[in-house]
Amino acid sequence: MNAVEIEQAITDLAEQPFEPSEFPYAFLEAFGNKATTIKRLRAGASNKSDLGGVLQSSNIHILVCEAGSVTQMLAALKSSPSTSKAKAKFILATDGKDFEAEDLTSGQTIACEFKDFPDHFGFFLPLAGISTVRQISENAFDIRATSRLNRLYVELLKDNPEWGTAGRRHDMNKFMARLIFCFFAEDTEIFIGKGSFTDTIAQMSDRDASNTHEVIATLFRAMNTLRNERTTLGIPRWAIDFPYVNGALFSGSDEVPRFSRIARSYLLHVGNLDWTRINPDIFGSMIQAISEDEERGELGMHYTSVPNILKVLNPLFIQDLRTKLEEAGDNPRALLNLRKRIARIRIFDPACGSGNFLVIAYKEMRGIEAEINRRRGEPDIRSEIPITNFRGIELRDFPAEIARLALVIAEYQCDVLYRGLKLALAEFLPLRNDNWITCGNALRIDWLSVCPATGTGVKLQVDDLSETPLDQAEIDFANEGGETYICGNPPYVGRRNQTAQQKEEIKLVLGKKVKSSASLDYVFCWIEKAADYAFHTRCNFAFVTTNSVSQGTQIPIYWPHLFSKGLRINFAHRSFRWSNNASDNAGVSCVILGIGHPRLPKIIFDDLQRYEVAHINAYLTSSDVQVVETRSTPISLLARMNYGNLPGDGNFLTLSMSDRDRLLHENPKFERIILPLYGAKEFIRGLQRYCLWIDEEDLEFARQSEFVRRRLDGVRRIREESCDSSYNALVNRPHQFRDRNLATRLTILAPTVSSEVREYLPVAVLPGRTGTTNQAYALYDAPLWNMAILTSRLHLVWIATVCGKLETRYRYSNTLGWNTFPVPTLTEKNKADLTRCTEDILLAREHHFPATIADLYDPANMPADLRAAHDRNDEVLERIYIGRRFKNDTERLDKLFDLYTKIAASAAPAKGKKHKAGANI
């Protein structure tokens, strides 16, 4: 269950007659407990309560008590030995009139009347496996309103199915936006009399709802008609006192869908909520899911939190405004200049959704402007920041409507906060008719047409005519309309998940500019269009993206092209988890990139750390290295790494254990043409496979077996029928894999793809004459100390950055990860020490035989001796680099890129002739 569904369930529970014996089970059921779980609690099989209540282990202890004893019983629950023994996270006591609960982990408590406990549903969300965050508790109203509106929306579509079709979807969305505005307006005194809109519908519409649509349509028509024209146009007396709103919100058709009795009831229920509590910061993102069938399952979950939005906005421009405010002090001229500057700033979100970024930017700027006005002694002055300076593009119709509405609501709330209710009401209506949120495809729209570089420039105010501004860039804007900042959270979409239309749009935006653009994430289209806009208007932009844009093969494909425009990364948030509040807490690893014309200082944010640097490269480090390119041989004195052997055999040369046993039973001498076979799955999971490995001199011997002959015939047929000419060329060699790499002493294997949850790259050491597949990379007969480097934390950090990831898993590459890995010159003692570290790791693994690599490297169950062996390996290697352990991965990356720069400067070109260090050593 998601938070909206939980809120609805407990609201229904609170509205039902209180039944003491049933309440604990109904409460648990509201938070998603299955019927079998409830049944076991009822039977006492899993109920551990020692107070006659209901105790669910590791969850909650609930007690229904006598009237007036709630506080005492909550204390009894807290001191109960069973509560402690069962590791309950919550305790709850109620008598049906009062309601008290405590979170035993945080110590937070709630106490309220029973009927009001749904207001605190966010407090209990961990019971449903939802890791609650502060925003979900603070914005309980937004979730409740979303739930009610969703029920109304679904019910209306039942009675008016044509309103759910593509042809009427816009009308339905417009109707919902109008309702939201009216609910807000009636509770904030924009309409005369609190609840006037809802009360009028309740009074004037019949209980059977037969004329509800007509009553609402009449109210909408009144709000779109000037007062002096209402009598002439037949507006009835009961609607005549509603204010003239217009602003395009009520223009056009006033048609309203028909209501059933249930839909009318839902409408009145929604209207009776306290809409003064609406938070436009997140409400829009939640409400937009109402009209999206595929999003309704996680209704109310997908919104971007204010702290995450501020990670984008603060370093982009907000912090600079605050710094200028600090510098201005109480100087009225300096404050006036800053206010005029702010009034000309435009914020543009080309994937604005329901306007989260625009709303937060507006509220932050209004806060700074209000402080300016306070210092200048002008607290009542009207804001000079027009909401039309907050531009957006949104593909879907309803979010675009909601974005405009969210900004209108934010403007009113800011006026009330900073100027007072009286002035806010006096100047709020009528709404402006400007349409500053464009509904359309941002990748097919000229952004300059949405946010053109025209307008009135800022005029500097000086204390005397001889004063000359020191920072002319702040005054003589290249963009006549002032500064423009582009921001947002565009759709990411990796190559594997792109639709045909998205692939076509990548070709449209990047196809003629960037070679191999088809390999890029979809989000690069927004980066490219923003870069073009910045190139022409000198604006700066910042986007939230997946961390894949700063990793792996996408860097050499795109970033040199962007840097060629003269743009640079001015700030960056390194990889962090961008999670929503769904019960599975799904999230994606993201970065924030602030790009524009070069400025100093450049800032890197890493967790809670802030670093000022002179340069930020595409890998989000301070190194001068812009791109790490693939190399055919190692840049350092490391052993040659090969791709595993590509079979190209249709699995006919691959043997199961039973196949192997059958052949050996037929002739034990066939053992010489059978090898154990390993790819990543085999050595990580401990799977046993074999293969036919037939040298030319053994071919006739092997063909003595009818089983082998059938297998070779199968290989020949597969290769003949293949559409791949390289397989066709192998048709006369059906007894062999395409590749024939084989060690005599030992093979070190690294997986092509590995889980990101592992703390170390899982690496195997196998005996000589072991077959390998193309699902792994291999070092054949390499000195053992190479494994110490391969399985180190240093190397894992490098490949995570340089090779990138497949989805969230580590993706390995010999040419990009191993061959580029910078290693200091190793002494013989260094090699001996690393060899010993490798042996210790292998011995620790052997100690836990038959545990698999997957078992041993599960972070939750990794054996202590194996972890210690790896830790020792890391310490030995890192001391070779800097004489001590690195403090964190940031320091590791900085050192690696610095060393890479030095080694690459003296090495052969990345794709040039073989480097002399490439030989096995």
Side-chain angles (χ1 to χ4, degrees):
M1 297 179 71
N2 63 47
V4 169
E5 293 168 331
I6 291 168
E7 187 280 329
Q8 183 61 58
I10 64 171
T11 295
D12 292 344
L13 175 60
E15 292 174 350
Q16 296 169 6
F18 180 69
E19 296 185 18
S21 61
E22 289 298 313
F23 173 78
Y25 306 110
F27 183 86
L28 290 171
E29 188 176 4
F31 282 90
N33 281 271
K34 297 179 180 179
T36 52
T37 302
I38 301 297
K39 185 177 180 180
R40 291 188 65 202
L41 285 169
R42 284 182 183 277
S46 59
N47 185 359
K48 308 297 183 181
S49 178
D50 56 354
L51 295 174
V54 174
L55 173 54
Q56 186 179 37
S57 294
S58 302
N59 233 10
I60 189 169
H61 199 173
I62 304 173
L63 183 62
V64 176
C65 54
E66 297 292 330
S69 62
V70 172
T71 301
Q72 297 93 316
M73 289 300 100
L74 189 73
L77 286 168
K78 189 170 184 177
S79 60
S80 161
S82 293
T83 298
S84 176
K85 185 176 180 180
K87 298 180 180 178
K89 299 171 185 173
F90 292 88
I91 52 175
L92 186 165
T94 183
D95 58 4
K97 179 182 178 184
D98 295 320
F99 183 100
E100 294 187 19
E102 182 173 347
D103 180 338
L104 297 175
T105 303
S106 67
Q108 185 180 358
T109 61
I110 57 173
C112 62
E113 291 186 33
F114 180 84
K115 64 182 179 62
D116 295 327
F117 85 82
D119 290 339
H120 304 280
F121 75 95
F123 181 85
F124 294 105
L125 284 179
L127 296 177
I130 298 175
S131 298
T132 184
V133 293
R134 189 174 63 186
Q135 287 95 336
I136 207 166
S137 296
E138 291 178 349
N139 301 111
F141 171 80
D142 302 276
I143 293 174
R144 174 168 284 193
T146 301
S147 172
R148 299 299 184 276
L149 285 168
N150 180 62
R151 294 178 71 179
L152 173 61
Y153 185 92
V154 171
E155 190 65 29
L156 286 173
L157 289 186
K158 286 181 184 177
D159 301 321
N160 305 269
E162 72 280 5
W163 283 69
T165 63
R168 298 300 306 271
R169 181 61 63 90
H170 173 78
D171 296 331
M172 188 64 178
N173 294 342
K174 187 101 175 181
F175 170 69
M176 296 299 292
R178 288 171 171 175
L179 282 184
I180 293 168
F181 175 82
C182 290
F183 293 142
F184 173 74
E186 70 175 344
D187 285 353
T188 51
E189 300 187 40
I190 294 170
F191 292 170
I192 298 173
K194 185 174 177 64
S196 55
F197 176 74
T198 302
D199 289 346
T200 299
I201 295 172
Q203 293 165 9
M204 303 307 300
S205 66
D206 297 333
R207 287 184 177 273
D208 65 1
S210 58
N211 70 335
T212 302
H213 64 293
E214 296 172 352
V215 171
I216 296 174
T218 299
L219 292 172
F220 286 173
R221 192 160 58 251
M223 296 176 209
N224 192 43
T225 305
L226 293 170
R227 281 184 175 275
N228 58 6
E229 299 175 359
R230 292 184 179 184
T231 303
T232 305
L233 294 177
I235 302 295
R237 188 179 299 276
W238 53 265
I240 211 162
D241 287 335
F242 280 84
Y244 172 63
V245 177
N246 200 3
L249 184 59
F250 292 96
S251 61
S253 172
D254 57 15
E255 186 180 0
V256 172
R258 289 184 171 272
F259 279 68
S260 65
R261 293 186 65 175
I262 295 175
R264 178 179 180 272
S265 175
Y266 285 165
L267 175 73
L268 299 179
H269 200 162
V270 176
N272 286 325
L273 296 175
D274 181 7
W275 283 79
T276 60
R277 298 163 62 188
I278 188 173
N279 180 3
D281 300 353
I282 71 165
F283 177 75
S285 285
M286 293 192 295
I287 204 68
Q288 76 180 57
I290 287 174
S291 66
E292 305 292 336
D293 293 339
E294 67 275 12
E295 292 186 21
R296 201 172 290 131
E298 288 297 340
L299 196 67
M301 295 298 97
H302 298 296
Y303 64 85
T304 306
S305 67
V306 175
N308 276 341
I309 291 175
L310 291 177
K311 286 180 181 178
V312 177
L313 298 180
N314 276 335
L316 181 61
F317 74 100
I318 294 293
Q319 188 55 54
D320 179 60
L321 296 181
R322 294 194 183 283
T323 299
K324 292 297 186 291
L325 178 63
E326 182 81 14
E327 293 172 355
D330 292 324
N331 184 309
R333 295 292 185 186
L335 291 168
L336 179 60
N337 288 334
L338 180 58
R339 188 171 73 193
K340 288 181 176 293
R341 174 189 169 190
I342 292 173
R344 294 292 181 266
I345 289 175
R346 285 179 301 184
I347 311 302
F348 176 35
D349 183 348
C352 70
S354 51
N356 304 52
F357 281 81
L358 300 177
V359 167
I360 297 302
Y362 177 79
K363 292 173 74 171
E364 290 293 312
M365 291 168 64
R366 281 295 302 269
I368 296 171
E369 182 193 50
E371 178 59 20
I372 291 171
N373 294 340
R374 187 193 67 78
R375 294 184 189 182
R376 283 178 53 84
E378 301 170 325
D380 297 336
I381 192 172
R382 185 169 188 168
S383 174
E384 296 179 1
I385 303 174
I387 57 174
T388 51
N389 272 10
F390 297 79
R391 308 288 177 91
I393 301 175
E394 170 52 37
L395 182 63
R396 296 167 296 176
D397 178 78
F398 192 45
E401 290 277 358
I402 294 299
R404 284 189 285 270
L405 184 56
L407 279 164
V408 167
I409 291 173
E411 181 183 42
Y412 174 80
Q413 290 179 335
C414 286
D415 279 344
V416 172
L417 178 63
Y418 299 123
R419 303 177 62 225
L421 178 62
K422 183 177 180 180
L423 288 174
L425 288 171
E427 299 172 359
F428 184 64
L429 295 178
L431 302 178
R432 292 179 288 277
N433 288 326
D434 308 284
N435 184 2
W436 64 97
I437 305 295
T438 300
C439 185
N441 187 330
L443 301 184
R444 297 179 183 271
I445 292 175
D446 179 3
W447 290 7
L448 284 168
S449 69
V450 175
C451 198
T454 59
T456 304
V458 174
K459 304 298 182 184
L460 178 68
Q461 302 292 316
V462 296
D463 290 324
D464 61 72
L465 295 177
S466 64
E467 182 176 338
T468 301
L470 297 178
D471 190 353
Q472 197 68 24
E474 280 190 24
I475 301 143
D476 297 330
F477 299 104
N479 178 341
E480 290 181 0
E483 303 152 69
T484 300
Y485 297 99
I486 300 175
C487 60
N489 184 6
Y492 312 134
V493 197
R495 181 182 62 177
R496 295 172 182 269
N497 298 318
Q498 290 163 7
T499 65
Q501 179 179 331
Q502 289 167 338
K503 291 180 184 294
E504 179 61 30
E505 287 166 351
I506 290 175
K507 184 178 180 181
L508 174 70
V509 175
L510 291 161
K512 294 182 180 179
K513 300 178 181 180
V514 177
K515 187 178 180 180
S516 302
S517 60
S519 298
L520 295 175
D521 290 353
Y522 191 46
V523 73
F524 277 105
C525 293
W526 272 264
I527 294 174
E528 175 65 12
K529 294 207 60 158
D532 280 345
Y533 188 101
F535 180 76
H536 289 99
T537 64
R538 295 194 63 81
C539 87
N540 293 306
F541 64 93
F543 288 139
V544 181
T545 79
T546 47
N547 59 5
S548 59
V549 304
S550 60
Q551 298 172 346
T553 56
Q554 298 197 90
I555 287 182
I557 293 174
Y558 179 76
W559 286 98
H561 164 72
L562 181 136
F563 294 142
S564 71
K565 300 175 186 283
L567 303 177
R568 294 294 181 266
I569 300 174
N570 289 319
F571 72 88
H573 278 267
R574 286 175 172 158
S575 188
F576 64 98
R577 205 71 171 165
W578 187 276
S579 300
N580 60 46
N581 297 300
S583 57
D584 61 358
N585 199 29
V588 63
S589 293
C590 290
V591 295
I592 295 172
L593 303 174
I595 300 170
H597 296 272
R599 73 184 191 195
L600 289 174
K602 298 185 184 301
I603 310 297
I604 293 176
F605 299 90
D606 194 353
D607 291 328
L608 301 178
Q609 301 297 314
R610 179 183 184 275
Y611 306 95
E612 291 192 8
V613 297
H615 174 76
I616 303 176
N617 64 17
Y619 301 97
L620 309 190
T621 77
S622 58
S623 166
D624 289 334
V625 175
Q626 293 288 22
V627 171
V628 176
E629 296 183 345
T630 58
R631 305 185 71 92
S632 59
T633 57
I635 197 172
S636 303
L637 294 173
L638 295 172
R640 175 77 65 85
M641 178 180 283
N642 293 303
Y643 208 19
N645 298 309
L646 180 69
D649 67 335
N651 284 329
F652 282 106
L653 295 177
T654 303
L655 305 177
S656 67
M657 181 175 286
S658 61
D659 293 332
R660 170 184 176 272
D661 292 345
R662 174 182 174 179
L663 267 177
L664 293 180
H665 179 74
E666 182 180 335
N667 185 349
K669 292 183 179 180
F670 283 144
E671 187 168 14
R672 77 174 192 246
I673 63 170
I674 301 173
L675 294 182
L677 182 66
Y678 286 90
K681 279 196 304 185
E682 286 74 24
F683 81 78
I684 290 177
R685 299 182 189 175
L687 305 178
Q688 289 186 308
R689 284 206 303 165
Y690 300 86
C691 68
L692 293 171
W693 192 270
I694 305 172
D695 296 326
E696 294 298 335
E697 59 269 25
D698 288 328
L699 179 57
E700 289 306 316
F701 167 70
R703 290 184 61 82
Q704 294 175 13
S705 167
E706 182 183 352
F707 175 84
V708 172
R709 289 199 303 272
R710 287 201 309 268
R711 289 299 183 101
L712 301 191
D713 289 342
V715 177
R716 181 181 289 107
R717 185 173 62 254
I718 287 291
R719 291 177 178 176
E720 284 176 341
E721 297 172 355
S722 175
C723 297
D724 189 329
S725 59
S726 66
Y727 285 173
N728 302 150
L730 299 172
V731 73
N732 294 321
R733 191 159 61 88
H735 57 292
Q736 294 177 340
F737 284 8
R738 188 197 74 174
D739 303 322
R740 296 274 293 165
N741 297 308
L742 192 65
T744 57
R745 294 184 296 103
L746 62 84
T747 302
I748 302 173
L749 277 190
T752 54
V753 178
S754 175
S755 171
E756 77 283 2
V757 303
R758 297 192 183 106
E759 299 172 34
Y760 301 94
L761 189 69
V763 178
V765 176
L766 304 170
R769 291 195 57 78
T770 297
T772 58
T773 77
N774 60 320
Q775 297 304 309
Y777 288 96
L779 299 171
Y780 298 104
D781 290 324
L784 199 55
W785 56 261
N786 284 269
M787 178 180 164
I789 293 172
L790 193 56
T791 194
S792 67
R793 178 70 189 175
L794 265 174
H795 191 58
L796 187 68
V797 169
W798 179 258
I799 65 166
T801 302
V802 173
C803 297
K805 295 184 178 181
L806 180 64
E807 296 166 342
T808 57
R809 295 168 291 163
Y810 296 120
R811 176 174 52 193
Y812 201 80
S813 164
N814 59 340
T815 57
L816 195 53
W818 182 254
N819 291 350
T820 63
F821 187 63
V823 180
T825 300
L826 300 177
T827 65
E828 291 304 313
K829 184 178 186 309
N830 292 152
K831 294 176 183 178
D833 290 342
L834 292 173
T835 299
R836 178 59 184 273
C837 288
T838 301
E839 292 169 344
D840 288 345
I841 291 172
L842 296 175
L843 286 170
R845 291 182 184 176
E846 186 67 24
H847 179 70
H848 297 281
F849 179 83
T852 65
I853 293 289
D855 297 331
L856 294 172
Y857 286 85
D858 178 348
N861 300 304
M862 190 174 183
D865 57 344
L866 179 59
R867 187 182 295 277
H870 272 285
D871 192 59
R872 173 63 179 163
N873 182 66
D874 284 338
E875 180 170 358
V876 169
L877 183 60
E878 292 180 9
R879 286 186 180 278
I880 292 172
Y881 278 79
I882 60 171
R884 59 169 173 81
R885 292 298 298 269
F886 287 100
K887 297 175 183 177
N888 50 41
D889 288 344
T890 298
E891 192 178 25
R892 289 184 178 94
L893 271 180
D894 288 341
K895 178 61 180 179
L896 289 172
F897 274 108
D898 180 59
L899 185 58
Y900 173 85
T901 304
K902 295 174 182 176
I903 297 177
S906 59
K911 297 181 181 179
K913 298 179 181 179
K914 181 189 287 187
H915 183 229
K916 63 183 181 181
N920 289 337
I921 54 174

